[in-house]
Amino acid sequence: MTRIKILPHDLTLKIAAGEVIEKPASIVKELLENSLDAGATNISITLENGGLESISVIDNGEGMTRQEAILAFERFATSKISRVDDLFNINTYGFRGEALPSIAAIARVEMTTRPRNMPLGVRVMVENGKIIDVWDVDAPFGTRISVDKIFENVPARRKFQKSAATEQSYCLDRITKIALAVPNVRIEVKGKGKTILTIPTAYNLADRVFFVLGPEISKKLLEIQGEKKGIHLKGFIGHPSLSRNSTRFIHFFVNRRPVRDNILLQALMNSYRGYLTTGRYPVAILHVNISPQEVDVNVHPAKAEVRFRDPSTVYSLILELVSQALSSSTFSLKGNVYPLQKEKYTTHSKIDVDSVCEPKTSYLNTENFLSFQSLELLPNPDTPTDMDVFTLFSSDVQYLGSLQNTYLVFTTHRGIILVDQHAAHERIIFDKLNKKLTSSPGMVQHLLIPETITLPPHCMEKITRILPTFEKIGLSVEIFGENTLIVRSVPSETPNLNIEHAIFDILAECENGLETENRLEKIKLDITRILACRGAIKAGEPMSPEEACNLWEELSHARTPLTCPHGRPTLIHLSLRNIEASFLRR
Ligand code: ADP
Ligand code: MG
């Protein structure tokens, strides 16, 4: 009695068939999926000449009887479904009975297989799609399928194959992707008598991800897990600084099947909105587990796409879990800042070169060089938090010194950063003062000798209106007599503030009146901006290395660290890549 049957005609009409074996990787994918469907836990793949010459897959799965082995090469012969209803309850990778006949049509196939309970195995030779020989053999249990003479009878397709190295990399991509779907399966890949890749059995997804993606990526992944209306999401998402320039590092699985899916991608990308610049994509390995009745896998010839019955729940589940993870405190990764004088000045960064946001075109025009770079780092007003910020501030930096007592020079392993000390300090103070406006009053710096300021009489009324704002940010001002102010304390952020200049600047901003609530709100921001500008270290003032490093550290905490409150850049970044390009090394 065989479990493999040829599907009835009415059922074959309902199948989105038509998968084309277009390259060695397609063969690897199909054979690997068959082995997994057969319950294999140990799979060995051999690729000769990148899979262009021959491919073999050996598994320890359930094997096939003689009758099954013969039937398996018939079109629409499958053991996985038998009725139309089964199409809505698919738990296997395959279900169309297409793969083996399609492979046999373009190559020579030899299959040796033995179920565990049979004393002997069987070998089937198939050429040009036809079984040419079947005989009994001694064989270990499981199945071995060897494919050679690939595309020999389809020269047009053979011509389209790329180099062995490229085809092999496609195969390995497929294999590692499937490996992320099934952690508890050992997969080994060989070629030219050597082992190319061994993926050991993992006991959970985390171990598998660690193995497949490596430690550098893995240590910047955060696990997420959750459920909504019976739909389960589990997996790992990458810190924004891991971002890539393509979706290649986004792996979605629906019931262990690798899929491309717009709903899933949209949900993921929307969760990263504000963390990544346009054109950058996160690293993510996300498994959606859902009742097979809730998802249609029969919509795409290569089964690479699926259709959810309730896409909005899937969407919101991802959005919620990923957004939550991204904003969680466990996810803030910060690099260390080392002043050059200190002993610890070997810098090692946590970010690999790939992840750096590089300009898309190579830039050799030195005139535009700086401005181009700074533009790269300037946040778009619509996206105040920017992927570059993460990359930048999570790197280890080393302070080299200062240029003109104005520009602080830092190096990272991927470039040079120049910080405008005044603009950066302004940004830091501005953010801190604004925070004080919305929270309880912070530290103040009491003046040893209170300062008195004499104002034109008509200004006194305006000052009275803004006294509460002054108080909130730690600027304690009393009115003394008709035209005099006594300043008793300044905000701790601006110990060296020239308060008289600041007050006159603020009064100038008040020229247009303070009558409406709107104007009062606006003047609060003007006040913090003016105090930040007047209180910040000036260009040309020397800073110690410790102060410079502190400034960098504090800048990394600012909400929009790349611009000062007036919108000027606080820093520019010269990437190693562009430095190399300028020296014509690239
Ligand atoms: P499908 O996977 O869609 O059923 P295939 O053409 O890939 O179609 O395979 C046909 C049938 O051959 C499968 O349904 C399965 O019963 C059997 N088969 C294929 N490969 C293996 C294997 N490695 N181990 C056991 N059975 C297999
Ligand atoms: Mg199959």
Side-chain angles (χ1 to χ4, degrees), residues 272-278 378-386 560 563:
Y272 273 86
R273 186 172 278 179
Y275 292 93
L276 299 177
T277 44
T278 39
L378 276 176
N380 171 336
D382 295 326
T383 52
T385 38
D386 192 331
T560 47
T563 49

Side-chain angles (χ1 to χ4, degrees), residues 30 33-34 37 80 93-95 99-100 303:
E30 292 298 338
E33 290 188 349
N34 277 348
D37 283 343
K80 298 164 195 174
Y93 288 109
F95 58 88
L100 290 183
K303 293 169 282 180

Side-chain angles (χ1 to χ4, degrees), residues 147-221:
V147 183
D148 66 357
K149 300 193 171 174
I150 297 164
F151 298 132
E152 250 185 35
N153 59 359
V154 246
R157 213 166 303 159
R158 174 136 207 130
K159 240 181 28 211
F160 277 104
Q161 303 308 307
K162 308 217 172 84
S163 70
T166 306
E167 294 301 339
Q168 175 170 306
S169 76
Y170 291 151
C171 293
L172 293 177
D173 272 1
R174 276 289 182 181
I175 295 165
T176 46
K177 200 168 194 68
I178 286 274
L180 289 170
V182 285
N184 52 353
V185 176
R186 179 180 188 277
I187 305 174
E188 175 188 61
V189 188
K190 294 189 216 162
K192 284 195 196 134
K194 284 197 249 153
T195 302
I196 301 173
L197 173 72
T198 307
I199 305 174
T201 307
Y203 296 97
N204 51 45
L205 182 62
D207 289 351
R208 179 56 47 105
V209 166
F210 187 87
F211 188 86
V212 171
L213 299 185
E216 281 307 305
I217 289 186
S218 300
K219 71 183 176 197
K220 294 169 117 195
L221 295 177

Side-chain angles (χ1 to χ4, degrees), residues 11 38 165 184 302 388 540-541 561 569:
L11 179 47
N184 52 353
D388 300 332
E541 277 181 43

